[in-house]
Amino acid sequence: MIKLFSLKNAKKDGESPKTGTQKKSSAAQLRIQKGFVILDINELNLPKTCGTEFPDPDDLLTFKLVICPDEGFYKGGRFIFSFKVGPNYPHEPPKVKCETQVYHPNIDLEGNVCLNILREDWKPVLTINSIVYGLQYLFLEPNPEDPLNKDAAEVLQNNRRVFEQNVAKAIRGGYVGQYYFQRCLK
Amino acid sequence: MDSEYSHRKLSHLRKVLERSGPFCRPDFEPSSESLKFLMQTCKILVIGAGGLGCECLKNLSLMGFRQMHIIDMDIIDLSNLNRQFLFRHKDIGASKSETAAKFINDRIPGCNVIPHFCKIQDKNEDFYRQFHIIICGLDSIIARRWINGMLVSLLIYENGILDQSTVIPLVDGGTEGFKGNIRVVLPGLTACIECTLDLYPPQITYPLCTIANTPRLPEHCIEYVKVIQWPKENPFDCSIDGDDPQHINWIYEKSMERAVNFGIQGLTYRLVQGVVKNIIPAVASTNAVIASICCTEVFKLASSCSPSLNNYMIFTNTDGIYGYTYEAEKNINCLTCSQTIKEIEIKSIYIKLKDLIQLLCSKNDLQMKNPGITANISGKIKTLYIQSVPSIEEKTRQNLSKTLFDLGLRENSEIIVADVTTPNTIMLKIKLLKNS
C-alpha cells in the first residue's frame, strides 16, 4: 500500500503539492470516449452484403450502415441504418434507426428497429459488429412473433407467398395496403 | 490557531491521530501534525451535492477537513428536501453546490468550502490536479467514467514507472434504494471504474415489440409514449425534459389512454415521472451509511492511520444488514488504465504518414498488420488513416503522403493505434531520434 501524503511532502510542497511542470495532455480523456469505438471500427468485419459510410472520418461516433441482402425475401433491396454511439458506450448500446422505409415485421414505418441486442439484451461485451450481424439476420429471418409492424407480421404468418410479393412491391416502390413505400432497389 | 486544534470537539480525532494502535498502518507515525495537515492543507473535492454529497460535506467538515470544493450542476428541487438536509424550502431553484457550501461555511467556523455550479466536464486538468482526494456521490455512470478518465490522465510515468505523487485517490459512493456500494480507486494502482464497467447493472429497458404491441405493465405504456409517440408527434418541438410538468403531463395523458385501451391498471402521474426521469427511490439512511464509510476512507487516506478499504464494498439493508468487501481486480486490458504510453522514435517530423505506418509494421516490439491511426491534435481526435473501413480509407488516403508535421503532429504528440494484433488500442508518443 502506498502512503500517499507523508506529512513531510505535504509541508515541503505547501498548498497544492502536485502542481509543477506537467506536460501531459488529455489524451486519456479522449481515449475513454473514443477508444472503444476506434477499436470496434478498426475491427469491423463486415459481411460482403454490408458497407459503412462515415460522413466525417474524424467523427467515428456517427455513421451509416448499408445492407444489401443477397438472399431471402429482401434480396435486391438496399437498406440504410443510422448509428449514433453515445458517451456511455459500451455500457449503453448505440442508437440505431432504419432510414429506409421497409415492409418488415420487426421494423416500423418510423424506422424503429426491434432487435433484442439494441435494447434489453445489450451487454458491454457486444460490439458494433454484433449489431451489424443482428441487423443482417433480421433481413434473412424476419420474426413474426412479437412484431413492430403487425400487418406485415400477420401476412408473414398466414401466407408467405403474399408476404414475399408485398416485400417485393415495397422494394420496387409502391403501395402495400395503405402505406406507400419508396423504391429502394440496389 | 493552536487552541483550535486542541479544542475538545476534536479530542476524539486526536486520540486516533496521536496514538499508535494494533490496526494502524505500519508506516503510520502518530503526531499532532496529522490534524494540522487535515485542517490546513488537505484539499478535498466533493463531486455531487445531492443525497450523498450533503452527507459527505457534513461528515468531512465535522471531521476537521477545512479546505473543500464542491461541484454540482443541479438546482434544488422540492423532492430533495427530505434527505438533502443542507437545503431549505426557500432554497428551491438555487444551485445545490452554492447553497451547500454556504450552509457549511456559516455553520462551521473556519471551514472554507468553495462551490462550483457547473458540470464536472467544464473543469480542466489544472483544476482536478490541485486536490489530494476526490470523493464522489454521483447518480451517473457517464460522470463516474469521466472523472475516472480524468484522474488516470493525470498520472505521470517516468520510464514506465508510475510517479506515485501524481495519484489522486477516488472514493466513490453510490446508492440505490436500500443498497449501496463504496469503492476506493487508486488510479494506476488498483482497479479503476472502467476495469469493472460490466459490474454496473444495465438500465431497465423493455423489448420494443412488447411495448408496441403487447403491453402488460403501466411502465410499458409510458415507455411506448416516450420512445415511439413523442418522437412521432413531437408535441412541444423539443426532446423530453423530465423536469417540465407540461411534458410529464402530456406523457401521462397519452400513456393513460393507452393503459385504458389495453386494460392496464396502476398508472399514476408519479410513476410517469419515475419512468421518464429514471428515478431510483432514495433512502436517507442508506445515504448516511454509505457517506459515512466514504468519509472514513477519506480520513484514512489523508492520515494514513489505517489501511484503506480494499477496494470494493457492497451494502444492503433490505433484510437485516449485510456488507461484503472484496478486491476488484485490475483489468489488464482496461482501455483507460492498463496502458502506459509507449514512445516511438522517428528520424524526423517530416517523414510521411505511410513511413510511420511502415515503422509500426516493421518495428520488433509492435509488428502490426494494418494499423488504424487516430491522433489527439490540439485536444481533438483526428482520424489519420484507417484501412479496414473503405469509406474512411478513401477520405484519409491522401494523408498517407503528407508529412507528420503537415498533419499537425509534433514531438510528444500522442497517436492512438488500433490493430488486429492487440486486443487494445495502443498510445504512442512521438519522439525524435537524437542526432538527426
Side-chain angles (χ1 to χ4, degrees):
Chain A
M1 176 158 311
I2 65 161
K3 185 163 183 175
L4 286 161
F5 333 107
S6 70
L7 295 170
K8 275 183 216 143
N9 259 342
K11 258 192 175 168
K12 192 169 60 191
D13 297 349
E15 282 287 307
S16 42
K18 272 164 242 142
T19 50
T21 51
Q22 310 266 335
K23 31 193 188 297
K24 204 156 165 302
S25 77
S26 62
Q29 208 53 58
L30 293 155
R31 183 172 73 217
I32 49 160
Q33 287 157 16
K34 312 276 168 77
F36 285 102
V37 183
I38 295 163
L39 267 185
D40 270 22
I41 300 295
N42 197 55
E43 280 166 24
L44 268 182
N45 190 358
L46 296 176
K48 61 181 187 307
T49 53
C50 297
T52 48
E53 280 170 17
F54 288 79
D56 174 4
D58 292 334
D59 179 7
L60 299 176
L61 306 175
T62 313
F63 61 94
K64 293 191 195 310
L65 170 76
V66 184
I67 303 184
C68 303
D70 60 355
E71 57 182 317
F73 295 119
Y74 295 89
K75 182 175 173 178
R78 184 171 187 273
F79 307 97
I80 302 171
F81 292 85
S82 67
F83 278 64
K84 268 202 176 355
V85 183
N88 213 5
Y89 183 81
H91 181 68
E92 280 169 19
K95 289 208 172 7
V96 178
K97 282 265 185 181
C98 182
E99 295 198 333
T100 312
Q101 275 204 330
V102 53
Y103 179 78
H104 193 295
N106 313 109
I107 302 174
D108 73 13
L109 300 167
E110 271 77 48
N112 296 305
V113 184
C114 189
L115 178 66
N116 61 340
I117 56 170
L118 283 178
R119 287 176 65 84
E120 69 276 11
D121 288 336
W122 171 260
K123 292 183 179 53
V125 290
L126 296 173
T127 62
I128 291 168
N129 227 8
S130 335
I131 297 175
V132 172
Y133 278 92
L135 292 174
Q136 159 153 285
Y137 183 75
L138 274 189
F139 285 107
L140 299 177
E141 295 282 344
N143 171 15
E145 278 150 37
D146 259 348
L148 262 194
N149 180 338
K150 255 185 175 164
D151 298 339
E154 260 170 49
V155 177
L156 174 60
Q157 223 150 16
N158 297 330
N159 193 331
R160 289 176 74 88
R161 275 299 300 272
V162 176
F163 180 79
E164 193 173 356
Q165 285 163 5
N166 284 351
V167 171
K169 215 188 284 177
I171 292 177
R172 281 198 310 271
Y175 279 94
V176 176
Q178 57 185 54
Y179 294 106
Y180 182 77
F181 290 86
Q182 274 189 341
R183 188 182 171 89
C184 61
L185 272 176
K186 190 182 169 183
Chain B
M1 264 315 232
D2 258 350
S3 64
E4 199 192 339
Y5 299 122
S6 54
H7 194 283
R8 115 189 113 77
K9 257 200 230 165
L10 298 170
S11 62
H12 296 290
L13 285 179
R14 295 181 46 223
K15 282 177 193 157
V16 175
L17 298 174
E18 294 174 17
R19 296 176 189 175
S20 195
F23 299 111
C24 289
R25 276 173 54 157
D27 56 355
F28 174 63
E29 295 163 29
S31 131
S32 59
E33 294 297 301
S34 289
L35 191 56
K36 277 189 188 157
F37 172 74
L38 295 191
M39 296 181 74
Q40 280 186 339
T41 316
C42 191
K43 213 173 191 178
I44 313 265
L45 174 66
V46 180
I47 300 180
L52 280 174
C54 282
E55 292 275 359
C56 289
L57 266 189
K58 174 259 288 174
N59 293 349
L60 293 172
S61 55
L62 291 175
M63 224 177 205
F65 291 96
R66 292 281 182 264
Q67 313 301 326
M68 286 187 279
H69 288 229
I70 176 119
I71 182 165
D72 197 306
M73 59 184 271
D74 242 352
I75 56 170
I76 297 161
D77 185 77
L78 174 67
S79 64
N80 302 144
L81 301 184
N82 72 328
R83 61 191 185 286
Q84 299 176 21
F85 47 76
L86 303 179
F87 311 141
R88 297 292 175 261
H89 199 275
K90 65 172 168 44
D91 300 322
I92 290 174
S95 149
K96 285 190 175 181
S97 55
E98 288 168 2
T99 310
K102 184 168 186 312
F103 191 106
I104 295 288
N105 291 340
D106 287 350
R107 179 70 173 257
I108 298 176
C111 207
N112 178 28
V113 182
I114 298 172
H116 302 274
F117 180 25
C118 61
K119 293 180 173 186
I120 55 170
Q121 287 89 343
D122 294 340
K123 296 287 181 187
N124 64 13
E125 294 158 345
D126 293 330
F127 174 77
Y128 290 105
R129 198 180 284 122
Q130 66 179 308
F131 297 102
H132 289 91
I133 302 172
I134 294 181
I135 174 169
C136 56
L138 287 162
D139 58 359
S140 142
I141 295 171
I142 298 183
R144 281 194 176 84
R145 292 176 68 184
W146 191 90
I147 187 66
N148 179 66
M150 170 56 80
L151 296 183
V152 171
S153 73
L154 293 179
L155 299 174
I156 293 177
Y157 290 84
E158 300 277 350
N159 307 319
I161 296 173
L162 176 63
D163 172 358
Q164 296 201 343
S165 73
T166 60
V167 174
I168 301 175
L170 177 71
V171 178
D172 176 48
T175 68
E176 192 175 293
F178 289 102
K179 295 179 284 186
N181 76 320
I182 306 99
R183 60 190 298 179
V184 176
V185 177
L186 304 177
L189 297 168
T190 65
C192 80
I193 301 284
E194 213 74 28
C195 288
T196 56
L197 189 65
D198 37 8
L199 285 182
Y200 291 110
Q203 267 198 358
I204 300 168
T205 47
Y206 306 99
L208 206 52
C209 358
T210 305
I211 62 170
N213 289 305
T214 51
R216 295 179 301 276
L217 302 172
E219 286 87 343
H220 290 158
C221 302
I222 303 166
E223 272 291 294
Y224 178 81
V225 176
K226 184 178 149 191
V227 178
I228 311 257
Q229 227 166 326
W230 183 285
K232 202 151 119 190
E233 302 187 16
N234 206 358
F236 299 98
D237 238 358
C238 58
S239 49
I240 300 176
D241 174 1
D243 293 319
D244 187 331
Q246 268 191 306
H247 290 194
I248 299 290
N249 233 334
W250 191 87
I251 300 173
Y252 172 62
E253 280 165 18
K254 296 290 171 184
S255 14
M256 202 53 168
E257 277 172 32
R258 198 170 165 77
V260 170
N261 277 342
F262 284 91
I264 295 169
Q265 296 186 335
L267 196 135
T268 60
Y269 186 86
R270 283 196 59 138
L271 184 71
V272 174
Q273 260 185 323
V275 172
V276 172
K277 291 176 73 176
N278 225 329
I279 293 178
I280 295 152
V283 175
S285 56
T286 314
N287 282 344
V289 171
I290 299 298
S292 69
I293 301 174
C294 287
C295 294
T296 309
E297 289 309 316
V298 170
F299 182 80
K300 293 197 289 189
L301 284 163
S303 66
S304 302
C305 69
S306 171
S308 290
L309 179 84
N310 188 22
N311 52 32
Y312 198 117
M313 173 173 175
I314 51 168
F315 169 82
T316 79
N317 55 353
T318 36
D319 292 305
I321 293 179
Y322 176 77
Y324 180 69
T325 304
Y326 71 97
E327 181 179 353
E329 283 180 24
K330 263 185 94 140
N331 174 1
I332 52 163
N333 289 324
C334 175
L335 275 184
T336 300
C337 76
S338 72
Q339 21 184 204
T340 57
I341 297 171
K342 287 187 186 164
E343 295 184 347
I344 182 159
E345 292 190 314
I346 55 172
K347 285 196 301 255
S348 127
I349 202 72
Y350 297 102
I351 65 166
K352 294 183 170 144
L353 182 62
K354 59 184 172 194
D355 302 324
L356 179 70
I357 291 175
Q358 207 173 22
L359 187 64
L360 295 174
C361 297
S362 62
K363 227 173 152 281
N364 261 337
D365 57 341
L366 293 173
Q367 299 196 37
M368 295 190 162
K369 292 291 175 225
N370 54 24
I373 306 180
T374 57
N376 177 9
I377 291 170
S378 31
K380 212 175 161 283
I381 293 272
K382 300 268 286 176
T383 302
L384 299 184
Y385 187 68
I386 294 180
Q387 195 206 27
S388 56
V389 180
S391 67
I392 300 181
E393 197 279 336
E394 202 181 299
K395 286 184 180 131
T396 53
R397 192 183 302 154
Q398 54 191 12
N399 288 346
L400 287 176
S401 45
K402 288 188 185 162
T403 67
L404 301 189
F405 184 88
D406 286 342
L407 290 167
L409 295 170
R410 300 290 182 270
E411 174 148 41
N412 294 326
S413 288
E414 284 163 6
I415 58 173
I416 306 157
V417 186
D419 189 67
V420 286
T421 52
T422 66
N424 226 330
T425 50
I426 292 180
M427 307 270 301
L428 295 170
K429 185 184 269 191
I430 291 182
K431 285 283 167 194
L432 293 177
L433 270 174
K434 300 250 160 61
N435 315 321
S436 63

